[in-house]
């Protein structure tokens, strides 16, 4: 029996979700460390054939496809039914599922149906003492956790999005495409998706992964548009120092600092902010701090991860342009 | 209607000093708290009971100390609580926990709506909601930011889900399990009278045998923990604007934040 | 002796801490700045039972121990001195004497709405010429048929601007001096009873401190609390209870200042390192932490004795004098640790410093507390 690593592909708005390609990189690493004959994928869609060339080009050896109109919107019971039947047929060693919202429902649900182990939100894998250990964040990311499976039964892993790179593409690469005869119907679940609303709301400072903050170095309130541009490109929120709030450039609910909000984003961008202690009190525990300031002695450089001595007004628009290009790739 | 809320007592993540951890997880003396998502669980059950009538039952699985979270739930006004506790469950994984919770729900006669938090801080797996739903073979609606409709006569729920990139409105039939996100409601504070009465209520305990579970099989286990790699010391990027932009982008992308 | 909290006390602490962080902390600085009485906040506290913590359930209270009450006061005071004294006055200075000395009718009519948070109380003892010398009050109460007529004025009365129910101490017989003082229940809206000058103070700015004016105020004789001439005894008992509340308030204020100073010391970098790494600062923080712990234990012990039905006058005075002086020392050091920033209103420590001072004065000055302790130990 071939040893397979099966990856679950998520389709959204007729496109393969990026995270479903990222998991291939983990699959490849697992194959290197633990050996496998093939990295295959499970593709449940209304029209699976649309995606086969792309999936092969990213490196998948086999595609197990199931077609149904019921796959249009993700519902756990329907996808689980199909996946469980598929798993019983092909019996892979590993099942990798993207750790998106829906993926993190599917992985444990299937794990419970098959009474097998699931490790969630994996960011890496290592080999030690002859076993594979999967690395994941716990305690709200304050600790890293190494987990292992205790039997040779199916090992299910949900994979944190963006933890692994999208693999390189080899155009024209081909593989084995199998359409399976697994039936799912609407009656398999009572869940109906009534409406899908794409993101429009403003992200709050407290919830934002990226905060783009401006201080007096931005020159005037009109220049704050540059901050909003970058925030829009990254899906982040705009913050401000007390000085510009007091000057009326932006409203108080954007203020970060001792008398404003305390934030802990993945990246805190400080443009034209000197870094007075009152401001630092509100953002110093951010994962990454990027500071741009004309003054090389600005105290913000003492806490920044990356400091750039430059005029924020020159740097910012060019940076926004470059990062937009990079994000599309 | 019967509303069942699943809650958990966790070690306070704010009191865990990462630098002192590893390879074992040292939890001695770390204060325990109610999982922050779970006060929203209790409140959601109470609000729907107030609207539609019925009872609110709260279940937790944990050691002796876990009684406290059940007492908090009682102080908030729930009708009944159950404590699943057995030494055999020590060190078990989410699959075992979910099965125990599912069996407890069956044992008390089932539920119309089961509410769990999105995840429990600490483990951060977000497994319990889906796995309990799987064991009970009922629909799952996760990341619920608002229950828009709930009907006993139609046995129906309509809920708003919060996903990456937007929202979804879904409907399902009851019984159903939902996992809730923070701020779905504004949890009430336990009244002091409630608190005093709650401190005296005898809490029923379910052992492994009470739940009809056999030998416990654990499928995955912790090998070690460690603090995350230390925050790198700051550096100043030099060069022309174009060069520094390029260096910055390279650095940020290599940190896998995008 | 068990130093650890029992389950009920732990739950009380968690609930009060949660409430204080979510409801009190966000408004504390604004309350201090505007001096606006926190009507909404007090209403929420009332609904939860925080205005009648130790009062029997049959009269609308939460029937928790005095230890629980002290825990709750500390948690509220940690963020706001004003809110904690509003709560303390209602609980200890108004509800407590009504429980001890009130008739069934009086308890049902006056105590129940106060304990359940529907009404707010204040304690009218102090006068322009009668502070520490409470026996020298000049407000009079003259019996007239089935009524009393009250005349006089009270100053520095916490909650006065918003109270519905006041306990007013007046002399029914000047010749008997302090044995001629009686205690009366006077309700807002009674003709002749009004709020006078509002005090602008150094601290606890939102506590509604004002003058109460009584001009031919006629009240039913049934509003006499206890017996004629029992007023001084009622006042002394009440202050014994109240002192534990003030001690807890002082502990809370001190703790708030200390926690802010600790946080600042870890963040403030001078001479290349966080100032928390300098021994001078470390010793200051160590002393602050130790004194706060000691103050809390004294307070808890006094509350414990009260719960046990044991005499607690000496212990309550000890806890009040010690805790209030700790609050002064700790808040002063907290500003010092903050350096220039501590002097700015941008940081909360200057408010804790201003709020702390009154704890050495009201409900019996530190000098009076020492007299009380001395008279107990020299008996």
């Amino acid at each position: 029996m071939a040893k397979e690593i099966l990856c679950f592909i998520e389709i959204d708005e007729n496109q393969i979700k990026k995270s479903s390609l990222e998991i291939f990189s983990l699959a490849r690493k697992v194959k290197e460390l633990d050996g496998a004959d093939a990295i295959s994928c499970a593709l449940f869609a209304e029209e699976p054939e649309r995606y086969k060339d792309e999936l092969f080009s990213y490196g998948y050896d086999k595609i197990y496809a199931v077609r149904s109109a019921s796959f249009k919107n993700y519902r756990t019971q329907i996808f689980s039914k199909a996946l469980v039947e598929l798993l019983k047929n092909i019996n892979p060693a590993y099942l990798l599922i993207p750790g998106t919202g829906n993926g993190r429902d599917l992985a444990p649900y299937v794990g419970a149906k098959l009474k097998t182990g699931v490790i969630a939100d994996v960011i890496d894998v290592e080999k030690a003492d002859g076993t594979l250990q999967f690395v994941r964040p716990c305690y709200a990311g304050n600790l890293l956790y190494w987990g292992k499976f205790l039997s040779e039964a199916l090992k299910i892993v949900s994979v944190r999005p963006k933890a692994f790179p999208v693999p390189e593409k080899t155009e024209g690469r081909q593989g084995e495409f199998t359409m399976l005869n697994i039936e799912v119907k609407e009656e398999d679940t009572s869940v109906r998706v009534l409406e899908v609303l794409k993101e429009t709301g403003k992200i709050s400072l407290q919830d934002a992964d990226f905060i783009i903050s401006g201080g007096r170095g931005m020159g005037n309130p009109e220049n704050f548009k540059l901050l909003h541009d970058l925030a829009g490109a990254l899906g982040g929120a705009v913050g401000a120092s007390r000085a510009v709030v007091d000057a009326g450039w932006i409203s108080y609910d954007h203020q970060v600092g001792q008398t404003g909000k305390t934030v802990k984003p993945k990246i805190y961008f400080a443009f034209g902010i000197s870094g007075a202690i009152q401001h630092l009190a509100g953002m110093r525990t951010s994962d990454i701090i990027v500071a741009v300031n004309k003054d090389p002695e600005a105290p913000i450089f003492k806490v920044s991860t990356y400091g750039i001595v430059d005029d924020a007004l020159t740097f910012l628009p060019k940076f926004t342009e470059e990062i937009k290009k990079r994000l599309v790739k | 209607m019967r509303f069942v809320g699943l809650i958990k007592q966790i070690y306070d993540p704010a009191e865990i000093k990462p630098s002192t951890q590893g390879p074992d997880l040292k939890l001695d003396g770390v204060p325990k708290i109610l999982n922050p998502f779970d006060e929203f669980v209790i409140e959601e059950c109470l609000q729907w009971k107030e609207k539609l009538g019925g009872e609110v039952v709260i279940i937790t699985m944990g050691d002796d100390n876990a009684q406290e979270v059940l007492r908090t739930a009682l102080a908030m006004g729930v009708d009944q609580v159950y404590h699943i506790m057995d030494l055999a469950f020590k060190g078990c994984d989410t699959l075992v926990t979910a099965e125990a919770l599912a069996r407890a729900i069956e044992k008390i006669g089932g539920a119309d709506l089961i509410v769990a938090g999105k995840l429990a801080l600490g483990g951060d797996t977000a497994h319990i909601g889906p796995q309990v739903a799987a064991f009970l073979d009922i629909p799952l609606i996760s990341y619920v930011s608002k229950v828009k409709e709930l009907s006993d006569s139609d046995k129906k729920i309509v809920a708003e889900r919060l996903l990456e990139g937007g929202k979804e409105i879904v409907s399902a039939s009851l019984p159903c399990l939902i996992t809730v996100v923070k701020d779905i409601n504004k949890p009430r504070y336990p009244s002091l009278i409630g608190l005093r009465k709650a401190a005296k209520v005898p809490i029923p305990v379910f052992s492994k045998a009470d739940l009809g579970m056999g030998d416990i099989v654990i499928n995955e286990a912790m090998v070690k923990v460690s603090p995350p790699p230390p925050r790198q010391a700051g550096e100043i990027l030099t060069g022309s604007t174009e060069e520094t932009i390029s260096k910055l982008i390279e650095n940020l992308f290599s940190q896998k934040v995008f | 002796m068990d130093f650890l909290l029992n389950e009920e006390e732990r739950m009380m602490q968690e609930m009060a801490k949660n409430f204080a962080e979510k409801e009190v902390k966000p408004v504390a600085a604004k309350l201090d700045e505007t001096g606006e009485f926190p009507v909404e906040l007090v209403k929420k506290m009332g609904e939860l039972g925080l205005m009648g913590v130790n009062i029997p359930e049959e009269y609308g209270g939460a029937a928790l121990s005095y230890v629980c009450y002290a825990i709750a006061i500390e948690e509220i005071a940690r963020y706001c001195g004003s809110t904690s004294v509003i709560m303390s006055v209602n609980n200890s200075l108004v509800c407590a004497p009504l429980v001890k000395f009130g008739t069934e009718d009086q308890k049902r009519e006056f105590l129940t709405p106060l304990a359940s948070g529907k009404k707010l109380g204040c304690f009218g003892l102090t006068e322009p010429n009668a502070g520490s010398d409470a026996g020298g009050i000049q407000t009079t109460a003259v019996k007239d048929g089935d009524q009393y007529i009250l005349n006089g004025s009270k100053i520095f009365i916490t909650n006065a601007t918003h109270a519905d129910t006041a306990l007013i101490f007046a002399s029914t017989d000047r010749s008997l001096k302090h044995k001629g003082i009686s205690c009366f229940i006077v309700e807002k809206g009674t003709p002749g009873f009004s709020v006078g000058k509002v005090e602008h103070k150094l601290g606890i700015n939102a506590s509604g401190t004002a003058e109460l004016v009584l001009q031919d105020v006629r009240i039913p004789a049934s509003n006499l609390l206890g017996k004629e001439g029992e007023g001084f005894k009622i006042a002394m008992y009440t202050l014994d209870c109240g002192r534990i509340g003030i001690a807890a308030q002082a502990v809370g204020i001190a703790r708030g200042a200390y926690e802010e100073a600790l946080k600042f010391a870890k963040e403030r970098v001078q001479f290349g390192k966080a100032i928390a790494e300098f021994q001078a600062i470390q010793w200051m923080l160590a002393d602050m932490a130790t004194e706060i712990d000691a103050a809390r234990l004294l307070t808890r012990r006094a509350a414990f004795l009260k719960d046990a039905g044991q005499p607690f006058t000496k212990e309550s005075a000890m806890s009040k004098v010690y805790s209030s002086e700790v609050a002064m020392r700790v808040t002063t050091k907290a500003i010092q640790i903050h350096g220039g920033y501590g002097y700015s209103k941008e940081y909360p420590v200057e408010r804790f410093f201003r709020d702390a001072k009154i704890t050495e004065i009201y409900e019996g000055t530190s000098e009076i507390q020492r007299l009380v302790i001395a008279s107990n130990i020299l008996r």
Side-chain angles (χ1 to χ4, degrees):
Chain A
M1 187 83 194
K3 182 173 175 180
E4 266 181 276
I5 300 170
L6 181 68
C7 296
F8 181 82
I9 305 298
E10 274 190 286
I11 305 294
D12 184 40
E13 290 190 326
N14 296 321
Q15 292 217 312
I16 300 171
K17 284 184 86 168
K18 195 153 153 265
S19 42
S20 303
L21 300 171
E22 292 165 8
I23 62 178
F24 181 87
S25 300
L26 172 59
R28 192 164 45 197
K29 206 167 173 187
V30 169
K31 181 178 175 191
E32 278 162 31
L33 294 174
D34 202 35
D37 300 299
I39 299 175
S40 46
C41 61
L43 174 63
F44 301 165
E46 296 175 273
E47 291 172 16
E49 300 86 351
R50 285 173 76 141
Y51 312 100
K52 67 182 193 118
D53 290 337
E54 201 182 338
L55 289 169
F56 288 137
S57 74
Y58 278 105
Y60 286 106
D61 302 312
K62 295 185 192 180
I63 300 173
Y64 298 106
V66 181
R67 173 192 291 140
S68 173
S70 291
F71 288 137
K72 179 167 192 281
N73 295 112
Y74 173 81
R75 271 105 25 102
T76 303
Q77 284 172 311
I78 289 196
F79 279 68
S80 165
K81 179 183 180 200
L83 189 49
V84 166
E85 203 171 320
L86 172 60
L87 291 167
K88 287 186 174 150
N89 270 319
I90 63 158
N91 218 353
Y94 292 91
L95 169 63
L96 272 45
I97 300 185
T100 56
N102 290 331
R104 288 186 69 176
D105 284 348
L106 184 60
Y109 198 92
V110 166
K113 286 294 180 193
L114 294 173
K115 298 246 182 149
T116 193
V118 186
I119 299 183
D121 201 29
V122 162
I123 60 171
D124 202 0
V125 65
E126 292 173 5
K127 189 162 181 177
D129 302 325
T131 49
L132 286 208
Q133 295 174 3
F134 290 90
V135 189
R136 54 183 301 272
C138 66
Y139 283 92
N142 284 320
L143 284 180
L144 290 178
Y145 169 107
W146 279 251
K148 66 177 181 187
F149 293 95
L150 297 178
S151 76
E152 282 314 304
L154 172 66
K155 303 177 173 72
I156 303 178
V157 163
S158 68
V159 186
R160 176 173 273 228
K162 301 174 189 166
F164 292 90
V166 170
E168 321 78 46
K169 230 178 164 182
T170 310
E171 292 291 357
R173 187 175 172 280
Q174 282 304 305
E176 206 181 294
F177 181 89
T178 312
M179 188 72 88
L180 294 156
N181 222 355
I182 295 174
E183 203 204 338
V184 292
K185 38 193 203 310
E186 280 303 293
E187 291 73 29
D188 289 329
T189 186
S190 65
V191 177
R192 300 286 175 269
V193 177
L194 305 176
E195 217 184 320
V196 176
L197 307 149
K198 286 298 171 188
E199 180 98 84
T200 44
K202 244 178 61 161
I203 307 163
S204 76
L205 277 175
Q206 249 81 18
D207 295 330
D209 279 339
F210 310 107
I211 296 179
I212 295 87
S213 238
R216 261 202 289 251
M218 291 302 292
N220 60 52
E222 287 72 44
N223 290 331
F224 264 58
K225 180 182 177 310
L226 297 170
L227 301 171
H228 285 282
D229 283 345
L230 181 56
L234 298 180
V238 170
S241 70
R242 183 183 164 172
V244 298
V245 170
D246 284 351
W249 292 11
I250 192 168
S251 62
Y252 173 69
D253 46 280
H254 293 270
Q255 187 172 317
V256 172
Q258 176 71 24
T259 45
K261 297 197 171 74
T262 301
V263 296
K264 198 185 179 309
K266 288 195 176 134
I267 309 181
Y268 188 89
F269 291 92
F271 290 106
I273 293 178
S274 64
I277 190 171
Q278 296 95 325
H279 189 77
L280 297 186
M283 43 62 75
R284 67 182 307 136
T285 58
S286 307
D287 292 348
I288 296 170
I289 297 169
V290 176
V292 180
N293 195 300
K294 264 192 286 204
D295 175 10
E297 302 300 319
I300 192 102
F301 290 128
K302 292 210 169 64
V303 298
S304 59
T305 321
Y306 303 108
I308 292 140
V309 181
D310 201 346
D311 184 348
L313 297 175
T314 326
F315 186 94
L316 184 42
K318 291 189 183 161
F319 177 73
T320 305
E321 202 186 309
E322 285 308 311
I323 205 163
K324 273 186 188 168
K325 285 187 208 160
R326 190 56 195 268
L327 284 172
V328 168
K329 281 212 224 137
Chain B
M1 286 186 81
R2 178 183 285 154
F3 303 94
V4 170
L6 305 176
I7 68 175
K8 185 177 178 189
Q9 186 185 52
I10 60 166
Y11 289 97
D12 190 350
E15 298 295 320
I16 302 222
K17 313 267 177 277
S19 51
T20 64
Q21 295 293 340
D24 305 312
L25 188 54
K26 300 172 191 62
L27 297 168
D28 286 332
V30 178
K32 293 180 119 169
I33 57 169
L34 174 64
N35 179 32
F37 290 93
D38 295 352
E39 52 173 2
F40 300 98
V41 168
I42 300 167
E43 179 66 26
E44 196 64 19
C45 291
L46 286 169
Q47 285 191 12
W48 282 105
K49 175 209 162 164
E50 281 160 9
K51 285 192 193 115
L52 301 178
E55 59 164 346
V56 176
V57 177
I58 301 293
I59 308 178
T60 196
M61 176 157 134
D63 64 15
D64 255 320
N65 296 310
Q67 258 193 69
E68 279 183 38
V69 296
L70 292 174
R71 296 208 188 277
T72 300
L74 285 165
M76 283 170 77
V78 309
D79 299 290
Q80 182 69 262
V81 299
Y82 294 97
H83 186 183
I84 301 172
M85 179 167 61
D86 198 313
L87 274 176
F89 289 134
K90 198 172 159 75
C92 71
D93 55 19
T94 60
L95 194 62
V96 175
T97 308
E99 186 177 353
L101 290 167
R103 301 251 184 149
I105 295 170
E106 284 172 339
K107 188 177 166 69
I108 63 170
D112 296 290
L113 181 67
I114 303 166
V115 186
K118 168 178 134 174
L119 54 78
L121 291 182
D124 294 15
T125 62
H127 280 179
I128 293 298
Q131 292 189 326
V132 171
F135 277 111
L136 295 174
D137 207 24
I138 58 177
L140 164 74
I141 306 179
S142 55
Y143 317 111
V144 172
S145 49
K146 190 164 174 58
V147 175
K148 298 174 83 99
E149 281 171 44
L150 193 60
S151 164
D152 193 18
S153 47
D154 296 337
K155 293 271 178 275
K156 183 176 167 196
I157 177 173
V158 177
E160 182 184 275
R161 294 182 72 205
L162 209 59
L163 291 171
E164 315 96 336
K167 290 188 178 150
E168 234 180 38
I169 316 279
V170 305
S171 68
S173 63
L174 303 177
C176 174
L177 187 148
I178 65 172
T179 70
V180 301
V181 297
K182 285 189 191 170
D183 301 327
I184 180 176
N185 53 45
K186 187 167 191 299
R188 65 198 64 187
Y189 298 101
S191 77
L192 295 194
I193 296 182
L195 217 134
R196 179 174 51 83
K197 294 194 167 154
K200 299 187 184 24
V201 170
I203 294 180
V205 176
F206 287 156
S207 66
K208 182 182 71 126
D210 292 329
L211 299 175
M213 287 170 79
D215 287 332
I216 303 299
V217 174
I218 302 178
N219 284 286
E220 59 92 10
M222 180 184 104
V223 177
K224 66 177 185 192
V225 291
S226 95
R231 263 187 89 214
Q232 56 185 104
E235 58 177 298
I236 303 287
L237 305 177
T238 52
S240 68
T241 303
E242 285 70 26
E243 284 167 350
T244 53
I245 287 176
S246 172
K247 284 184 194 175
L248 177 62
I249 290 182
E250 278 322 304
N251 273 300
L252 292 178
F253 274 81
S254 76
Q255 309 253 352
K256 299 178 182 171
V257 272
F258 292 113
Chain C
M1 192 182 342
D2 191 353
F3 286 96
L4 301 175
L5 299 179
N6 66 31
E7 189 153 12
E8 187 178 88
E9 289 157 359
R10 263 205 310 277
M11 286 172 69
M12 171 83 257
Q13 186 177 57
E14 196 183 318
M15 178 267 181
K17 192 181 277 239
N18 200 21
F19 181 85
E21 271 171 18
K22 296 205 174 107
E23 306 287 338
V24 180
K25 180 179 178 183
V27 299
K30 194 89 197 285
L31 288 177
D32 175 65
E33 199 187 307
T34 61
E36 194 185 322
F37 192 85
V39 174
E40 273 315 305
L41 183 55
V42 170
K43 182 156 174 274
K44 276 184 202 163
M45 289 167 69
E47 283 162 7
L48 292 172
L50 286 165
M51 300 305 265
V53 180
N54 184 235
I55 308 307
E57 195 180 345
E58 63 204 291
Y59 305 116
L64 288 167
S65 66
Y66 218 68
V67 169
C68 280
Y69 166 65
I71 289 169
I73 295 270
E74 182 189 326
E75 293 301 329
I76 303 290
R78 181 317 179 198
Y79 289 107
C80 183
S82 302
T83 309
S84 56
V85 72
I86 293 170
M87 178 180 160
S88 178
V89 162
N90 198 74
N91 270 279
S92 304
L93 300 191
V94 189
C95 289
L98 285 169
V99 171
K100 181 107 176 159
F101 299 101
T103 62
E104 260 319 297
D105 285 340
Q106 285 172 334
K107 288 187 218 188
R108 250 176 273 121
E109 189 179 349
F110 300 110
L111 176 58
T112 304
L114 289 166
S116 60
K118 295 198 181 59
K119 288 195 173 173
L120 183 69
C122 68
F123 182 78
L125 175 64
T126 303
E127 294 180 5
N129 290 324
S132 292
D133 182 12
I137 57 167
Q138 291 168 313
T139 300
T140 55
V142 176
K143 192 110 192 269
D144 180 27
D146 61 353
Q147 288 185 322
Y148 281 93
I149 309 173
L150 272 56
N151 271 288
S153 68
K154 302 288 181 184
I155 57 162
F156 299 147
I157 307 303
T158 303
N159 291 350
T161 53
H162 285 72
D164 303 289
T165 308
L167 290 185
I168 300 290
F169 291 83
S171 180
T172 35
D173 189 341
R174 297 292 291 272
S175 68
L176 295 176
K177 305 224 172 91
H178 65 272
K179 290 210 168 83
I181 296 175
S182 308
C183 181
F184 298 92
I185 304 165
V186 182
E187 290 196 283
K188 177 161 131 176
T190 309
F193 182 49
S194 62
V195 177
K197 171 181 158 229
V198 175
E199 283 304 328
H200 290 117
K201 314 184 294 290
L202 174 64
I204 55 162
N205 289 330
S207 65
T209 312
E211 186 188 18
L212 288 174
V213 181
L214 301 112
Q215 284 179 308
D216 292 328
V217 178
R218 285 178 173 271
I219 54 170
S222 56
N223 280 25
L224 170 69
L225 185 65
K227 300 200 218 11
E228 275 197 25
E230 253 195 325
F232 193 77
K233 179 175 112 180
I234 293 173
M236 290 307 105
Y237 167 80
T238 305
L239 290 170
D240 274 352
C241 300
R243 279 158 197 171
I244 299 174
I246 299 306
Q249 179 197 26
V251 172
I253 292 171
R255 194 181 105 206
Y258 160 74
E259 286 177 2
E260 295 295 324
L262 183 60
K263 175 169 174 278
F264 186 85
K266 291 193 225 178
E267 287 171 355
R268 174 66 169 170
V269 173
Q270 287 287 273
F271 306 111
K273 48 188 184 176
I275 62 173
E277 293 186 50
F278 291 107
Q279 197 174 64
I281 302 296
Q282 289 177 353
W283 284 11
M284 286 166 85
L285 291 168
D287 285 343
M288 289 155 85
T290 307
E291 289 199 311
I292 293 169
D293 249 18
R296 181 185 297 115
L297 285 167
L298 269 179
T299 309
R300 195 159 290 169
R301 193 264 304 263
F304 177 85
L305 287 172
K306 179 178 192 300
D307 284 330
Q310 309 265 14
F312 62 96
T313 302
K314 177 184 75 170
E315 291 78 7
S316 137
M318 283 177 159
S319 71
K320 203 266 195 190
V321 67
Y322 188 76
S323 301
S324 55
E325 292 182 357
V326 164
M328 284 304 298
R329 287 196 290 273
V330 167
T331 54
T332 308
K333 286 202 179 87
I335 293 186
Q336 197 67 16
I337 289 172
H338 278 71
Y341 292 101
Y343 207 68
S344 157
K345 284 187 188 280
E346 211 180 341
Y347 284 80
V349 284
E350 59 81 34
R351 183 180 84 238
F352 290 122
F353 174 78
R354 286 185 289 107
D355 285 350
K357 183 58 190 163
I358 191 63
T359 64
E360 287 189 301
I361 298 171
Y362 61 14
E363 299 203 24
T365 59
S366 297
E367 292 68 38
I368 291 292
Q369 304 305 330
R370 287 182 163 90
L371 287 179
V372 168
I373 297 165
S375 86
N376 256 270
I377 62 188
L378 291 169
R379 241 210 279 274

